[in-house]
Amino acid sequence: MSRYDEAKKIYADLGVDTEKALDKLKDVTISIHCWQGDDVTGFDSRASLSGGIQTTGNYPGKATTPEELMADIDKAFSLIPGKKKLNLHASYAIFDEGEFADRDALQPKHFKKWVDFAKERNMGIDFNPTYFSHAMVRDNLTLSSPDEEVRKFWVNHGIQCLKISEYFAEETGVPCVMNIWIPDGYKDIPADRFAPRARFKKSLDEILSTPYDKSKVYVTLESKVFGIGLESYTVGSAEFCLSYSTQKGITPLMDNGHYHPTELVSDKISSLLLFNEKIALHVTRGVRWDSDHVVILDDETKEIAKEIVCNDALDRVFIATDYFDASINRLSAWVTGLRNVQKALLNALLLPADEMKKLQNDNDFTALMCLQEEIKTAPFGDIWAEYLVREGIEKDYLSQIKEYEEKVLVKRV
Ligand code: RNT
Ligand code: ZN
């Protein structure tokens, strides 16, 4: 008997159908962030990374051109199993020689090369307006700025991004998730917490008053608790973003690095599912702060996956990754993190969920704890290995990444 067949039997004895789990996992789409490849730099501005987010590390081989980033994406994606979507930021616009358009004037044509890239690989594209790393971010403010020139500039950016998102959906035939996140906030205690939020609301209203096809573009709104240099006040707080999303019928997005350290996104998913048709996630790993470390197979990632899978919500949650580590090989960061999101989903698909729910409802917490602990040592690795075989992907990725590093990355310096 193969290791998979033995493992399949062990799971069957626990009441779990591994074939069903593998079948479901292969159909889950994960939206992969392009910005792991170049430390969130992009191609449209020389401004350094701002917005209270930070990449740390100086590993050689960072992509600095669209061609390099595309080559790295290809290599990394070839080592990641499952269905993928490419998640782009507006700052990744690609201009022809001598051409330039500022963020408020970006057009679909500036993303044609990405569309060609995605189409050739049969992928959809998700999109993000870029409200950071730009001279028009004044005093850390964009859509909530009291300066009308600044505010309008960024409203126009949002409007252009909606058009680009629609273009992505039309070209690829896959709906586009457009996520709005602004860094706006204050380092110290504000005199007025109300007015900036009122201006953010007005700006969002203005952006969303642009007609767009809601079956093609899902607008999501991402909240945050604080940023570096913006410790005391964040305009787009959790309450603001949730309330706004509900009122406007757009989709709330939770990034698990954006809450107080003892607050868990896994506990929030069920509530949001009860009040929203769709919800969106940025899967990341914060270490002490919103540090955007590579996703590992830790308890919270597994618990997030459990909430999606065991609430039967795989088709209601837009799952995207959002982390950026510049201290290790960037392709390995991509692959490790993405494989871990999938491992967490597989782990959840292999839970005896109905039995566990029944034990909870029967108030049999003794048996529930025993089962929950028992399942942790079931031969998960053998099912994962089988998944990789079926996807035609080798388990070992480090050696291929090392080879790529020697042949391609180190020569970039
Ligand atoms: C920042 C947000 C946001 C960004 C990306 C680059 O804290 O998480 O999603 O990380 O848009
Ligand atoms: Zn995020």
Side-chain angles (χ1 to χ4, degrees):
M1 238 207 279
S2 73
R3 284 183 68 136
Y4 173 68
D5 287 331
E6 269 184 53
K8 183 176 170 180
K9 195 175 167 316
I10 295 170
Y11 274 103
D13 290 345
L14 286 159
V16 174
D17 183 343
T18 57
E19 285 298 318
K20 228 186 192 170
L22 290 171
D23 243 29
K24 279 199 175 166
L25 184 60
K26 73 170 178 19
D27 287 333
V28 181
T29 301
I30 301 183
S31 180
I32 307 181
H33 60 310
C34 75
W35 50 93
Q36 167 56 51
D38 74 337
D39 311 341
V40 210
T41 307
F43 308 122
D44 78 331
S45 157
R46 293 240 163 89
S48 55
L49 183 60
S50 73
I53 53 178
Q54 253 170 40
T55 43
T56 53
N58 201 16
Y59 203 83
K62 163 180 157 167
T64 57
T65 64
E67 293 72 31
E68 287 178 354
L69 185 60
M70 286 177 184
D72 291 358
I73 289 173
D74 265 339
K75 184 70 198 174
F77 282 25
S78 77
L79 301 169
I80 299 169
K83 292 207 171 133
K84 305 163 190 81
K85 243 176 141 179
L86 178 63
N87 202 2
L88 292 176
H89 245 283
S91 51
Y92 290 80
I94 302 175
F95 302 115
D96 286 338
E97 191 74 26
E99 184 196 27
F100 177 72
D102 213 344
R103 298 249 173 105
D104 63 337
L106 284 172
Q107 289 173 42
K109 67 173 183 186
H110 302 125
F111 293 87
K112 180 172 185 308
K113 291 208 171 103
W114 284 115
V115 164
D116 295 343
F117 179 83
K119 273 179 163 173
E120 279 162 23
R121 287 149 189 83
N122 242 319
M123 287 190 293
I125 305 177
D126 289 335
F127 199 47
N128 305 259
T130 311
Y131 291 105
F132 52 82
S133 307
H134 191 279
M136 280 302 265
V137 181
R138 301 260 171 85
D139 298 313
N140 301 314
L141 301 175
T142 64
L143 291 177
S144 76
S145 174
D147 179 336
E148 268 302 284
E149 197 203 339
V150 171
R151 201 185 65 79
K152 277 280 174 209
F153 176 88
W154 291 111
V155 165
N156 289 334
H157 178 53
I159 291 171
Q160 292 310 109
C161 285
L162 266 181
K163 293 180 190 160
I164 294 162
S165 298
E166 214 165 37
Y167 160 73
F168 286 153
E170 272 157 18
E171 289 290 323
T172 63
V174 183
C176 172
V177 175
M178 186 186 104
N179 178 49
I180 298 178
W181 169 72
I182 59 162
D184 299 32
Y186 292 107
K187 179 185 172 83
D188 227 316
I189 303 165
D192 184 357
R193 290 182 170 86
F194 191 86
R197 288 186 173 132
R199 286 190 294 265
F200 184 27
K201 180 170 183 282
K202 181 171 152 204
S203 298
L204 288 171
D205 286 348
E206 286 171 16
I207 293 170
L208 296 175
S209 67
T210 316
Y212 68 96
D213 185 338
K214 297 198 170 66
S215 69
K216 289 187 183 144
V217 179
Y218 288 88
V219 176
T220 66
L221 185 61
E222 178 180 13
S223 66
K224 191 162 178 177
V225 63
F226 86 98
I228 298 289
L230 307 159
E231 287 84 359
S232 299
Y233 171 82
T234 301
V235 180
S237 62
E239 294 72 17
F240 178 97
C241 291
L242 266 184
S243 308
Y244 189 88
S245 301
T246 304
Q247 196 189 53
K248 279 288 189 175
I250 60 167
T251 302
L253 185 146
M254 295 190 289
D255 177 313
N256 59 299
H258 290 192
Y259 297 85
H260 290 284
T262 58
E263 240 184 309
L264 297 173
V265 161
S266 55
D267 186 57
K268 299 174 190 296
I269 290 174
S270 47
S271 301
L272 263 60
L273 283 174
L274 278 167
F275 297 97
N276 293 276
E277 198 185 302
K278 303 266 187 200
I279 68 166
L281 297 177
H282 271 182
V283 185
T284 186
R285 178 168 56 107
V287 178
R288 301 194 186 278
W289 67 287
D290 181 29
S291 59
D292 288 296
H293 278 63
V294 177
V295 174
I296 57 172
L297 190 59
D298 55 11
D299 285 351
E300 175 58 0
T301 310
K302 286 189 211 164
E303 205 61 22
I304 287 173
K306 179 178 126 191
E307 290 299 314
I308 303 169
V309 168
C310 301
N311 290 319
D312 214 8
L314 276 169
D315 56 349
R316 293 175 57 203
V317 183
F318 297 118
I319 306 172
T321 45
D322 178 18
Y323 55 82
F324 21 96
D325 194 333
S327 75
I328 57 174
N329 180 300
R330 292 172 184 79
L331 281 84
S332 85
W334 253 321
V335 180
T336 302
L338 264 301
R339 285 193 182 200
N340 282 330
V341 175
Q342 297 202 27
K343 280 183 190 166
L345 290 166
L346 180 60
N347 183 68
L349 287 161
L350 292 170
L351 291 173
D354 293 341
E355 173 66 10
M356 285 161 58
K357 286 177 189 172
K358 183 176 178 303
L359 291 172
Q360 175 177 316
N361 286 341
D362 293 347
N363 291 333
D364 192 350
F365 301 112
T366 307
L368 178 58
M369 184 184 274
C370 292
L371 179 59
Q372 277 175 334
E373 292 308 299
E374 182 59 30
I375 198 85
K376 285 183 184 168
T377 51
F380 171 79
D382 293 332
I383 315 293
W384 172 252
E386 177 70 14
Y387 176 60
L388 292 179
V389 169
R390 291 187 190 185
E391 287 283 306
I393 285 190
E394 270 178 54
K395 195 167 182 194
D396 164 46
Y397 56 96
L398 182 61
S399 54
Q400 286 206 50
I401 283 176
K402 281 276 168 205
E403 195 186 313
Y404 187 79
E405 181 170 311
E406 275 158 37
K407 283 204 185 128
V408 181
L409 300 181
V410 292
K411 297 197 176 132
R412 279 184 188 163
V413 191

